[in-house]
Amino acid sequence: MYDVMLEEAKLWLDEPQQRKRKLETPVIPPPPPPPPCPTVDEDSSDEEVDPVAWSKYSRQVSESGGFDVDLFIQPFGGIVPTGCNVYAVLFGKVGLHCYNLEKETNLQFKKVTKSNIQSASILTFYITLEATDPVHDNSLVTFQTCVTDAVLKHQARLRMFTTTCRIKPQVPGTGEIGSYWYPDTDVDASYRVDLPNWLQDDALSGDDKLQFYEVKDWELKENEWLYLYAEFALFSRWDDDLSAYMPFEMRKVVVQTKEDMKLKSGNAVFYLSFKTCGGLECRGVVRRTTDGRPGHMCLEARCWIDK
């Protein structure tokens, strides 16, 4: 049974995005603590669930929040340990960025060390990664984030949202606990619409010019996460390893928001013009939204390659 579950998850990851994102089904929330050990009909050909193993699995999910779970053969969809892939790396970076933005820290992504998935109509990733803290002599930090790869809508080619962004607690069962939310109902209604096709020619001088802000060169250096947004946008076009196309040369960034924080606004649209290593000229639109609760961030993106 586990082999079937794992194979289905692998096939999902390998499918072209246009195929795997057609479903417009509601996102399944992260699981509550597992129920009592399920029973299996006597006539079923499936193996009975080992109550000892089930108890261990339930305890691991409860204590770790789904991040540290051993392989457990079960007759239903659960949290399954998997290897690292390009989604886990990108989503891990976004979860770390969410944490940095909220906590005003500058933890730097190093590598993904573990990735678990919960497979339903979409995938939820439980990602553990290593980061470094420049403020403390680049000491290593173990970071955990739960990210859902959401169904496509709003003309986006990639949508995801975080529910947990935390430093791994030293004591199991403690630490910050994430909460479920759904961006399509929990964010400002003005951001629950289609992504813009691109920046209007008179955006910086028209009637709504106060909503737009062109990012200065020095701000690009102080906000390196803008390059992550460019990576996120290009990944929405090519869901593959982008290391051969990086680093990017940022041409221009304009942020659109009704909030006063500009770059740090919880709800904003970013228009990014950038050039890849190799000479491709790209334009990306990335929308960031939140419901204001800790660990909650949604990113949506689309991208154009001009040449």
Side-chain angles (χ1 to χ4, degrees):
M1 176 62 68
Y2 171 77
D3 292 339
V4 173
M5 293 167 52
L6 193 57
E7 185 62 26
E8 288 179 351
K10 183 178 185 300
L11 288 173
W12 191 98
L13 288 168
D14 292 340
E15 280 185 347
Q17 292 302 294
Q18 288 80 359
R19 291 184 57 198
K20 77 181 182 186
R21 299 176 183 276
K22 283 184 178 179
L23 293 176
E24 286 291 338
T25 54
V27 176
I28 305 300
C37 181
T39 59
V40 180
D41 294 339
E42 294 181 359
D43 297 334
S44 173
S45 59
D46 293 335
E47 296 182 3
E48 293 186 1
V49 177
D50 182 350
V52 175
W54 174 260
S55 176
K56 178 181 178 183
Y57 169 80
S58 301
R59 185 182 70 254
Q60 290 178 342
V61 172
S62 177
E63 291 182 350
S64 73
F67 294 99
D68 295 313
V69 178
D70 293 334
L71 172 61
F72 176 66
I73 300 174
Q74 50 190 332
F76 60 90
I79 300 174
V80 181
T82 63
C84 180
N85 56 64
V86 291
Y87 282 89
V89 172
L90 179 63
F91 291 173
K93 291 178 180 178
V94 173
L96 185 63
H97 160 60
C98 176
Y99 181 89
N100 283 334
L101 202 61
E102 289 181 355
K103 305 293 186 180
E104 297 184 351
T105 52
N106 189 30
L107 302 181
Q108 299 293 305
F109 175 86
K110 185 176 181 181
K111 65 179 180 180
V112 171
T113 57
K114 182 186 297 185
S115 177
N116 300 336
I117 61 170
Q118 180 190 11
S119 178
S121 59
I122 39 73
L123 289 186
T124 296
F125 293 76
Y126 298 81
I127 303 164
T128 303
L129 60 87
E130 279 187 1
T132 57
D133 187 354
V135 176
H136 296 92
D137 298 323
N138 289 319
S139 57
L140 288 179
V141 176
T142 302
F143 182 83
Q144 296 177 325
T145 184
C146 181
V147 181
T148 294
D149 187 3
V151 294
L152 288 187
K153 61 191 315 182
H154 302 150
Q155 296 191 42
R157 294 176 61 94
L158 179 63
R159 298 180 75 227
M160 53 129 290
F161 62 90
T162 62
T163 54
T164 302
C165 302
R166 70 180 190 181
I167 303 298
K168 181 178 180 178
Q170 295 184 352
V171 179
T174 64
E176 298 180 14
I177 300 176
S179 58
Y180 177 70
W181 69 301
Y182 191 35
D184 289 336
T185 58
D186 296 341
V187 302
D188 189 303
S190 63
Y191 293 96
R192 301 199 303 265
V193 296
D194 288 348
L195 290 176
N197 288 323
W198 184 242
L199 189 68
Q200 298 296 319
D201 292 338
D202 64 345
L204 296 172
S205 59
D207 294 339
D208 295 327
K209 64 181 180 181
L210 295 180
Q211 294 185 20
F212 294 88
Y213 175 77
E214 184 171 355
V215 178
K216 309 295 190 299
D217 288 342
W218 63 268
E219 291 175 307
L220 288 175
K221 296 178 182 179
E222 291 190 358
N223 297 275
E224 294 183 352
W225 52 265
L226 289 167
Y227 291 87
L228 171 62
Y229 281 20
E231 180 183 355
F232 189 86
L234 187 57
F235 191 87
S236 75
R237 182 66 181 263
W238 294 334
D239 56 327
D240 203 352
D241 182 4
L242 300 178
S243 57
Y245 299 94
M246 300 166 66
F248 301 138
E249 177 186 344
M250 201 68 76
R251 303 289 204 189
K252 183 178 181 178
V253 178
V254 174
V255 57
Q256 177 185 6
T257 181
K258 300 176 182 179
E259 302 172 17
D260 296 330
M261 295 296 289
K262 303 301 181 184
L263 283 171
K264 302 299 177 65
S265 297
N267 301 288
V269 179
F270 298 83
Y271 302 86
L272 308 106
S273 299
F274 57 98
K275 181 179 180 181
T276 70
C277 180
L280 294 176
E281 296 287 349
C282 305
R283 292 177 294 127
V285 173
V286 176
R287 179 163 62 200
R288 179 175 74 209
T289 52
T290 179
D291 64 351
R293 289 184 287 175
H296 289 186
M297 174 187 288
C298 175
L299 291 187
E300 306 170 275
R302 59 189 307 196
C303 184
W304 300 265
I305 299 176
D306 295 328
K307 64 178 181 179

